[in-house]
Amino acid sequence: MTDVNNISSGSDTAGARYKKLGLGALLSVAIGLVVSQGVMVLMLQGAGIAGIGFIVPLILAYVLAISYAMSFSELSLMIPRAGSLSTYTEVAIGHFPAILATFSGYIVVAMFALSAELLLLDEIIAKVFPALVLPPMSVALGILALFTVLNLLNIDIFARLQTALAVVMMIVLLLLGLTAIEHEQAHSVSEIITQGAGNPMGWGVLALAAMAIWGFVGAEFVCPLVEESERPARDIPRSMFFGLTAIFVTIAIYCLGALLLIPREDLATNGLPHYLFATTVFGKTGQLFLATAAVTATCSTLNSSLATIPRMLSGMAQNGQAFPCFKRQSARTGSPWVSVLFIAAITGLPLWLMDLGSINLLLSAAALAWLLAYIITHINVLVLRKRYPEQARPFRTPFYPLPQIIGIVGMLYALWNISPSAEQSRRIYEVAGMVLGTVAIVAIVWIKCVMRKPLFKPEPLASVLLSGQTSRDK
């Protein structure tokens, strides 16, 4: 029988030629995909609803994010393959959860979150440049078409700029927050507390946990880079932990600055609170400042997603977990062109059906799908610890299994309280449930009728590690 531990420990030698990414590069990936327009909007709306009390769900979201970072670190270093959540899940709890987790955490999220990003960009451009009379959604669809073509040609215009873009976006949020705090019209913390902006929701503020979590999802995108990392055992976990901590501090300053300068009710009800914030702090200059940041954030997020998610889908097709057409690659560019077109299509679909008022719905539905994937990730760690207790783990979760239990319970709580509004919660469950239900039905039929495998029978870890080592040796 193949020695699983030898395969795992031998991956460092087999993959040596791929090692080139240091902590800085991985940190930029962990931060770059998190900081987006959706984060800029939802964090300000949350602060508007809860006032200073929004720090409570922010802290809860940060703790839950650290828990998922621990689980992803353990899994990615235990199974050092340039794969995705699908790889970890198929060896833990079977093909059905693997398909559901990957579609839920990445492909369904792309459908909701990327659409919201493009909707926001379209609205910002219309606000900043009112003289441009353009058809509705023309900017959003144009940007989507541009980056679809670039990814079909396998051209990544942001590859060399990823670190700089991540730093710029963090500086933008910090600059807004710190400038607002020092603004001549800014109130003091004690003043806004006496004005009712302390914590008007009381313990009900915990219902905003799902909204706050959106500020911390996506750091695990560093995990598929495990084979290209210079020191994966050290840098994969650190990049996520440092990145999430930097994001927490930045968001806290960003929200505090907005609360000190802008009435809480205005932040809560404005569809573009980041536009209101930027123009209040910097006036007319703030419009161009925000437009630049919005274009940068949306294009970077869209480009990164179109570059990575289709490859996840293509990898699933190569494992027999998705339609064979998704593994087709262009003979000239090497791009998984069918997968790229599919992700672009499901991203563009909501643009025809939604408007600015649907931003919160789309992002909340995306958060629901992402939380489901994170819960499955925690379960993977618990199951694999039991099934393979002697397996080499370059990173072991501190205080195991407490982080996984806290993560699962906290994320289930956030799912149960997906929105403080009962009506909005119902709509979120309906939209996300319809899409995820369709995915689940297709997955069941595919596994039973095409793959002809049990839904919940795990693949042997040794065979997965061996196939990964074989692919690296080629």
Side-chain angles (χ1 to χ4, degrees):
M1 184 174 181
T2 305
D3 187 342
V4 176
N5 288 292
N6 288 341
I7 293 173
S8 180
S9 61
S11 64
D12 288 342
T13 302
R17 62 181 176 273
Y18 296 106
K19 294 180 178 178
K20 54 188 178 183
L21 298 179
L23 178 60
L26 295 174
L27 186 60
S28 70
V29 174
I31 292 175
L33 274 168
V34 176
V35 180
S36 62
Q37 273 205 92
V39 170
M40 297 169 75
V41 169
L42 280 189
M43 297 306 102
L44 291 183
Q45 289 179 342
I49 295 170
I52 297 292
F54 189 59
I55 193 66
V56 175
L58 269 183
I59 292 173
L60 175 59
Y62 172 70
V63 170
L64 295 178
I66 291 295
S67 77
Y68 87 65
M70 289 181 180
S71 288
F72 268 103
S73 295
E74 180 164 328
L75 292 170
S76 65
L77 293 165
M78 176 186 174
I79 308 174
R81 291 183 55 183
S84 66
L85 181 55
S86 172
T87 303
Y88 316 143
T89 309
E90 72 180 46
V91 300
I93 48 181
H95 286 281
F96 175 69
I99 294 174
L100 184 62
T102 306
F103 270 82
S104 176
Y106 303 103
I107 296 165
V108 173
V109 165
M111 181 177 187
F112 294 136
L114 294 182
S115 301
E117 284 290 310
L118 290 167
L119 279 169
L120 285 168
L121 180 61
D122 201 271
E123 290 292 334
I124 287 294
I125 296 299
K127 278 267 191 182
V128 176
F129 304 104
L132 291 175
V133 182
L134 299 172
M137 299 301 157
S138 57
V139 172
L141 292 171
I143 292 291
L144 177 60
L146 170 64
F147 282 95
T148 299
V149 171
L150 288 174
N151 277 277
L152 288 173
L153 297 174
N154 220 2
I155 299 173
D156 185 356
I157 64 174
F158 286 109
R160 297 181 182 273
L161 302 175
Q162 189 65 49
T163 300
L165 290 172
V167 172
V168 166
M169 288 310 302
M170 295 291 282
I171 290 175
V172 166
L173 297 187
L174 282 172
L175 186 61
L176 278 170
L178 293 172
T179 305
I181 291 171
E182 298 297 326
H183 199 279
E184 60 182 12
Q185 297 179 8
H187 298 283
S188 66
V189 172
S190 59
E191 283 179 316
I192 63 172
I193 290 177
T194 57
Q195 293 170 4
N199 183 19
M201 297 181 69
W203 286 109
V205 74
L206 292 173
L208 297 179
M211 178 181 284
I213 283 171
W214 188 251
F216 300 92
V217 297
E220 78 280 1
F221 268 72
V222 301
C223 292
L225 301 174
V226 62
E227 292 180 304
E228 300 176 47
S229 173
E230 184 178 0
R231 301 182 196 175
R234 187 197 73 167
D235 291 345
I236 292 292
R238 286 188 181 185
S239 64
M240 287 191 277
F241 298 151
F242 292 166
L244 291 168
T245 301
I247 289 166
F248 171 76
V249 173
T250 301
I251 289 175
I253 293 173
Y254 173 67
C255 291
L256 177 61
L259 283 169
L260 296 181
L261 193 60
I262 301 172
R264 184 172 62 84
E265 295 76 12
D266 292 348
L267 291 174
T269 58
N270 197 298
L272 297 172
H274 57 324
Y275 176 84
L276 174 63
F277 191 14
T279 52
T280 302
V281 174
F282 295 116
K284 295 288 283 186
T285 305
Q287 294 184 356
L288 294 177
F289 178 72
L290 182 65
T292 302
V295 170
T296 300
T298 300
C299 291
S300 179
T301 301
L302 179 64
N303 181 71
S304 297
S305 298
L306 285 175
T308 56
I309 296 175
R311 283 163 176 79
M312 291 182 185
L313 188 57
S314 177
M316 292 179 69
Q318 290 172 8
N319 291 336
Q321 295 174 327
F323 298 129
C325 61
F326 288 132
K327 62 183 177 183
R328 291 182 183 172
Q329 295 184 341
S330 169
R332 187 168 62 88
T333 66
S335 167
W337 63 274
V338 175
S339 297
V340 170
L341 290 176
F342 175 73
I343 298 300
I346 64 172
T347 298
L349 179 62
L351 296 177
W352 299 100
L353 306 174
M354 303 289 186
D355 54 24
L356 183 62
S358 303
I359 294 295
N360 196 285
L361 172 66
L362 288 170
L363 292 177
S364 296
L368 184 154
W370 222 323
L371 284 172
L372 178 60
Y374 286 162
I375 290 171
I376 293 175
T377 301
H378 287 312
I379 294 172
N380 289 343
V381 173
L382 296 172
V383 171
L384 290 175
R385 280 288 188 109
K386 185 174 180 62
R387 291 184 58 217
Y388 299 98
E390 303 302 321
Q391 171 65 24
R393 290 174 171 84
F395 177 89
R396 298 179 72 89
T397 301
F399 308 108
Y400 172 86
L402 194 58
Q404 283 71 35
I405 294 173
I406 291 174
I408 292 171
V409 172
M411 290 174 186
L412 286 174
Y413 176 83
L415 287 175
W416 184 256
N417 298 276
I418 196 69
S419 171
S421 164
E423 176 61 25
Q424 179 77 345
S425 295
R426 184 185 62 79
R427 292 185 63 204
I428 294 168
Y429 292 138
E430 287 178 351
V431 171
M434 179 178 63
V435 175
L436 291 173
T438 302
V439 169
I441 292 171
V442 173
I444 291 172
V445 173
W446 182 262
I447 295 168
K448 299 300 290 185
C449 300
V450 179
M451 297 178 69
R452 298 186 181 279
K453 291 187 176 184
L455 296 178
F456 296 96
K457 183 179 180 180
E459 292 291 330
L461 178 58
S463 64
V464 172
L465 290 174
L466 183 61
S467 65
Q469 186 177 32
T470 302
S471 66
R472 286 191 296 271
D473 291 339
K474 288 181 179 180

